[in-house]
Every structure is written in C-alpha cells, then in structure tokens.
C-alpha cells in the first residue's frame, strides 16, 4: 500500500549471521603462544638462576683471594708443594730468598699508573740452586735497558716478599701477539720460553712466578706491587635483568590472554 508523501520500501534482506567459528590465524597464534611463552620463560629464569650461581662463585673466589693475600707468607717449598698437589697457588702471600741474575732479565710489555713500559721478570737463584722468576715491578719504556738504571741491579742475597702467581699453559687469546724473543719483549708470560731464552734448564725453574710487593728498592726502580686483582662482579645485576624480563613476559602474556577473553556481545566504544 502506497502512502502519500512518503514511501516506505521494505528491506527483506536478512542480516548476515555472525560467525562463531574461531579465526584460524588467531587459533594459530594461541597455540604458538602456548608453546613459546613457557619456553621463553624457562630460558629467562634459567639464565637468571645461572647468574645467581655465578654470583655465589665469584663472591667465594674474591673471599678466597683476599684470605690468601692476608695470610702469613709461605716459603717456596710450601708453595711448590701446593702446586705439585694441584692446588691453586695464585695470589698466595709468599717469600723467597736468593740472588738476582740481572743479566737474564726478561721484559713483559705493560702499563702501570698510566705509563707504558715493562715488568721486569728476573730469575732469582735460590739457595738450593734452582731458579724462581720474580716480577720485580715496573720500569718506564725508556728505562728498559739495565744500564739506564744501575741502582736497580741489587747484588748479593735478597729477600723478596709478594704474591705467588700461577704459570700460563698457553697464550691467553689469539689476539695477543707472539712474544718477540729476539728483542726480549714478551706479550704473554710464557715461563717455559722465558727460561729457555735465558739458558736456564727448565727442570731447575720453579713452575710459578712471584710478584714482588711494593717494598722500596734503591733508585726507585723497578716499582713493585704491580699485581692487579680486578674481578668484576656484576652477576647480581644480570640476574635481576633476566628475572625482570621473565616477569615482564609473564605479565604481557596474562594481559594478552585475558584481553582476548571478552564476553560475547561486549560492546566496543
């Protein structure tokens, strides 16, 4: 029936039914998240736990080194017995007596207090006829030659106190240059080659070094007490970081899960 002035057209087209089937892409994302999130959480938590274990190990190591440094100095037979038993001799307070063989100095390239120069590794001939390489300390680059510091060439019996240092089994890194034995410049502390280049028999050389302490010497050179003990301990910071990332991932995952679970027909503003 037609009305005057207005016409009404009935739209009998049925409204499209809303599908209740889950979108395949959303289902795929759900299952991927269900698998990947726990795996990622496990990795982050395990990394944090590993850093906590490293923290305890580092703190124990620092405490052990400090205890060795503060202990009464051990003589060479005692240090040698520890080394033979496989114990760690590094940083143990030690004392040795003998005569320096200054003509057999070995020079290790180093920096000290902002200066470039060398550590002097000088064989100390012990009373029993064997030899101990002593890191006597630092000399500036232009004082490498013994003739430029005659007062440093101490004659006669000496008593050296300091810290025992373990020998290196190999070059610390491929980035470290090879030792320049011809110029008597060592870039890493190869005890075997230090002894060989001086003509000393390897079986007569003690298998560790001694770093001399800062006891003053005539002329002021070499400057002892150069042993550097720098053990960074940032494991707590790393642990907090990994655990924090795990908490953040868990929070984002929970928010995403409950954000998608809205009741049917919920209105969106």
């Amino acid at each position: 029936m037609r009305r005057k002035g207005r016409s009404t057209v009935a739209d009998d087209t049925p409204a499209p039914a809303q599908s209740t089937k889950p979108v395949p892409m959303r289902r795929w994302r759900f299952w991927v998240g269900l698998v990947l999130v726990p795996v990622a959480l496990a990795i982050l938590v395990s990394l944090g736990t590993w850093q906590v274990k490293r923290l305890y190990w580092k703190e124990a190591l620092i405490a052990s080194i400090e205890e060795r440094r503060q202990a009464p100095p051990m003589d060479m037979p005692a240090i040698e017995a520890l080394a033979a038993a496989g114990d760690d001799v590094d940083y143990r307070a030690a004392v040795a007596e003998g005569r320096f063989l200054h003509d057999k100095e070995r020079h290790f390239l180093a920096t000290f207090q902002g200066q470039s120069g060398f550590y002097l590794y000088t064989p100390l001939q012990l009373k029993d006829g064997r030899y101990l390489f002593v890191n006597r300390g630092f000399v500036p680059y232009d004082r490498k030659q013994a003739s430029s510091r005659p007062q440093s060439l101490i004659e006669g019996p000496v008593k050296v106190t300091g810290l025992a240092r373990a020998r290196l089994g190999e070059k610390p890194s491929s980035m470290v240059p090879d030792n320049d034995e011809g110029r008597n410049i060592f870039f890493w502390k190869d005890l075997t080659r230090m002894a060989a280049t001086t003509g000393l028999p390897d079986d007569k050389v003690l298998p560790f070094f001694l770093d001399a302490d800062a006891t003053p010497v005539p002329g002021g050179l070499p400057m002892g007490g150069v042993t550097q003990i720098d053990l960074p301990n940032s494991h707590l910071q790393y642990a907090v970081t990994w655990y924090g990332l795990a908490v953040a991932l868990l929070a984002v995952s929970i928010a995403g899960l409950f954000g998608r679970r809205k009741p049917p027909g919920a209105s969106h503003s």
Side-chain angles (χ1 to χ4, degrees):
M1 180 176 183
R2 183 183 300 273
R3 294 182 181 180
K4 293 181 180 181
R6 293 184 64 182
S7 63
T8 302
V9 179
D11 189 358
D12 297 330
T13 305
Q18 293 184 352
S19 174
T20 59
K21 295 181 180 181
V23 180
M25 180 62 71
R26 290 181 179 176
R27 178 181 293 178
W28 178 83
R29 289 177 178 174
F30 172 78
W31 288 108
V32 169
L34 190 65
V35 173
L36 292 184
V37 169
V39 171
L41 281 173
I43 292 174
L44 293 173
V45 170
S46 64
L47 287 172
T49 303
W50 177 67
Q51 288 296 337
V52 170
K53 293 179 179 178
R54 294 283 294 175
L55 172 65
Y56 290 144
W57 169 81
K58 183 64 70 65
E59 289 179 342
L61 177 61
I62 293 173
S64 175
I65 290 175
E66 189 61 23
E67 181 181 357
R68 297 179 214 171
R69 291 178 59 198
Q70 299 301 327
M74 303 174 67
D75 59 17
M76 288 302 99
I79 296 290
E80 189 176 9
L82 287 175
D87 290 340
D88 191 0
V89 302
D90 235 2
Y91 304 112
R92 292 188 182 273
V95 59
E97 297 184 53
R99 295 173 180 269
F100 281 123
L101 305 181
H102 298 291
D103 61 325
K104 300 183 184 301
E105 279 183 355
R106 300 295 91 180
H107 304 131
F108 177 79
L109 189 67
T111 58
F112 183 65
Q113 296 180 349
Q115 283 187 291
S116 61
F118 300 91
Y119 292 160
L120 301 184
Y121 280 82
T122 308
L124 182 72
Q125 186 172 19
L126 306 175
K127 294 179 180 180
D128 61 7
R130 294 185 301 166
Y131 307 92
L132 169 69
F133 271 83
V134 176
N135 176 7
R136 298 186 60 205
F138 177 83
V139 296
Y141 200 89
D142 58 354
R143 306 294 293 275
K144 176 177 182 284
Q145 300 302 323
S147 58
S148 67
R149 42 180 171 80
Q151 289 180 294
S152 69
L153 309 180
I154 303 172
E155 298 293 339
V158 295
K159 182 177 182 179
V160 183
T161 57
L163 299 176
R165 299 302 312 278
R167 70 186 300 171
L168 298 179
E170 58 184 3
K171 186 161 60 171
S173 167
S174 59
M175 302 297 293
V176 177
D178 292 331
N179 292 325
D180 189 345
E181 298 177 2
R183 297 170 57 203
N184 189 8
I185 297 177
F186 285 78
F187 299 98
W188 68 282
K189 297 178 289 186
D190 186 344
L191 179 57
T192 299
R193 293 307 306 164
M194 283 184 174
T197 54
T198 59
L200 298 177
D202 187 62
D203 61 343
K204 296 291 186 181
V205 177
L206 270 60
F208 48 85
F209 299 97
L210 177 64
D211 284 1
D213 62 18
T215 300
V217 297
L221 292 176
M223 294 182 284
V226 298
T227 307
Q228 299 181 13
I229 304 176
D230 184 14
L231 300 176
N233 189 8
S234 302
H235 299 294
L236 179 59
Q237 176 184 344
Y238 297 150
V240 171
T241 299
W242 290 122
Y243 286 142
L245 290 173
V247 171
L249 176 60
L250 183 61
V252 170
S253 301
I254 293 174
L257 177 63
F258 285 94
R260 286 196 298 267
R261 294 180 60 183
K262 293 183 178 180
S267 60
H268 298 274
S269 57

